[in-house]
Amino acid sequence: MEIFHPKEVGHRSALMRVLQDGLRPDGAAFPIEAEYPLVLGQGKEAFSYCLGTSEKPLAHANLWPRRLIGGTPSADLRIGLVGNVVTHEQYRGQGLARELLEGLKQEASKHGLKALVLWSDLNAFYQKCGFSSCSEELRWLIQVPRRENSVNESQVVLQHEPSLELCAALLASRLSLGPTIERSAKEFQTLLRIPEVSLMTTEATTPRAAAATFTIMGKGCDMIGVVHEWGAVDAFALVEQVRAQGRRLGYSEVLLLTPARLPETWLEILHKQSSQVQRHPMALAWCHDDAARKVLDHSFIWGLDSI
Ligand SMILES: CC(C)(COP(=O)(O)OP(=O)(O)OC[C@H]1O[C@@H](n2cnc3c(N)ncnc32)[C@H](O)[C@@H]1OP(=O)(O)O)[C@@H](O)C(=O)NCCC(=O)NCCS
């Protein structure tokens, strides 16, 4: 057994089959690489780690080095995002995923990555592999009235091909409440092309004005009916646009994800405007040291960064 990157053409197609079968067992309207273009797209093989024999991938995980920025300068931290963890169905229960994750930890230490972060409901499995909950987010349930009420829906617009200028403005418009993942406008533009991503902005003539309030809902097969990334002039404007997103797709309610540490005025408004709120761990993490955990526990990672 060895850990390798899927360099050969044959590796890549075998790997995509393992990923598709393991992670999308019910099928999907698009290939899995379209959902994760920055780690599974052509030319991104260095972010894929396979475990197998005779160069046949039996287990896989992505490791994507990223920088956590914001907050204080000392908060800047290089971390690895982990995703698309899967073991070929016939080889499960033999310790392959655990061995691969141990390999990723060694790789992280070798490259100065101070933590590995991932998103999953398989808490028991990841706890056995040394991961535990990190940071917190709030999940607000927002009801979507069928008829338009106060919302003037002509003031929002769905963006299909956002320009780089708009992407840069969207990045600047996100609420900055501590460390988050560094992302370029170009990377943002690529992420916004993931199937089922719905980007809504304010209707305006300049990118900056358009980005003043924006919401992003959905992401491939994940985050259906969930607004996972946004920027807003105030909490009212945010909720109005969350409802406009839901109304467009015929949802009766939408989940809005926010950092736990919101300004008091935002919390007050969101409590009034939502029917339910849950505090939830933001992600699972393995940390190299306590200092890294401290920074991570203050971080908020936006939805399009999760892999
Ligand atoms: C989850 C998955 C990757 C585990 O792979 P695996 O190679 O079978 O895992 P391992 O054999 O290395 O398991 C390591 C430990 O975790 C346990 N474990 C494995 N899957 C588990 C699960 N779903 N829930 C709880 N514990 C689990 C094993 O029993 C083992 O514990 P032990 O050492 O006490 O016996 C595999 O089941 C899979 O590919 N599932 C489908 C895809 C998926 O859900 N991926 C995760 C997406 S976030």
Side-chain angles (χ1 to χ4, degrees):
M1 283 288 178
E2 57 169 336
I3 295 180
F4 58 93
H5 298 296
K7 289 199 193 86
E8 317 282 327
V9 178
H11 292 165
R12 190 177 160 83
S13 48
L15 173 60
M16 291 308 152
R17 263 198 312 281
V18 174
L19 288 170
Q20 204 80 41
D21 293 349
L23 297 169
R24 300 290 176 259
D26 302 326
F30 29 79
I32 191 145
E33 56 264 47
E35 294 185 60
Y36 302 98
L38 295 180
V39 289
L40 289 180
Q42 289 283 353
K44 305 292 181 189
E45 290 75 16
F47 303 133
S48 272
Y49 290 78
C50 299
L51 181 65
T53 47
S54 316
E55 302 212 329
K56 182 182 170 198
L58 301 181
H60 169 272
N62 280 124
L63 169 59
W64 193 26
R66 303 257 82 192
R67 188 176 288 278
L68 208 51
I69 54 161
T72 62
S74 65
D76 287 10
L77 199 70
R78 289 184 65 231
I79 64 168
L81 301 187
V82 171
N84 296 313
V85 178
V86 67
T87 298
H88 189 298
E89 206 175 353
Q90 288 164 12
Y91 297 86
R92 290 184 191 161
Q94 300 177 23
L96 296 191
R98 186 206 291 274
E99 188 179 335
L100 189 52
L101 289 168
E102 285 307 316
L104 294 194
K105 288 178 199 170
Q106 287 174 17
E107 193 73 0
S109 300
K110 203 165 96 189
H111 294 287
L113 306 178
K114 297 294 185 195
L116 295 178
V117 180
L118 60 82
W119 288 263
S120 176
D121 295 329
L122 299 180
N123 281 326
F125 162 66
Y126 283 109
Q127 268 166 20
K128 285 187 171 181
C129 296
F131 288 73
S132 55
S133 300
C134 75
S135 196
E136 280 189 328
E137 65 186 20
L138 295 175
R139 300 178 173 187
W140 306 88
L141 194 61
I142 309 282
Q143 300 301 318
V144 180
R146 253 192 225 148
R147 285 167 181 221
E148 285 182 31
N149 45 14
S150 59
V151 190
N152 181 353
E153 305 242 329
S154 67
Q155 287 175 353
V156 294
V157 59
L158 208 59
Q159 302 277 354
H160 295 290
E161 280 295 330
S163 65
L164 278 179
E165 292 72 21
L166 178 59
C167 291
L170 297 173
L171 285 171
S173 159
R174 295 186 313 192
L175 214 58
S176 170
L177 290 168
T180 195
I181 297 285
E182 184 177 41
R183 187 196 296 164
S184 69
K186 183 85 192 109
E187 287 168 339
F188 204 172
Q189 195 179 43
T190 303
L191 292 168
L192 287 168
R193 292 196 190 112
I194 294 173
E196 307 299 329
V197 165
S198 169
L199 166 64
M200 205 172 251
T201 69
T202 310
E203 183 153 49
T205 49
T206 65
R208 191 156 163 232
T213 296
F214 80 91
T215 46
I216 298 174
M217 185 162 75
K219 175 173 174 270
C221 293
D222 291 331
M223 311 263 201
I224 297 166
V226 179
V227 168
H228 52 81
E229 192 152 334
W230 49 269
V233 288
D234 58 44
F236 276 120
L238 173 60
V239 171
E240 300 269 280
Q241 207 179 91
V242 166
R243 293 198 168 113
Q245 282 268 23
R247 199 173 289 114
R248 189 182 74 81
L249 291 169
Y251 296 141
S252 56
E253 53 192 27
V254 171
L255 209 57
L256 167 68
L257 306 188
T258 73
R261 276 180 295 273
L262 281 174
E264 207 49 51
T265 49
W266 283 66
L267 288 171
E268 268 172 37
I269 292 166
L270 287 172
H271 274 293
K272 282 193 188 130
Q273 294 289 321
S274 63
S275 56
Q276 198 183 312
V277 60
Q278 279 183 343
R279 196 172 275 271
H280 202 274
M282 182 196 69
L284 290 164
W286 164 83
C287 292
H288 181 267
D289 50 46
D290 288 348
R293 170 146 308 264
K294 210 168 155 198
V295 176
L296 259 187
D297 276 336
H298 280 83
S299 71
F300 181 73
I301 299 180
W302 297 94
L304 286 179
D305 291 312
S306 65
I307 60 167

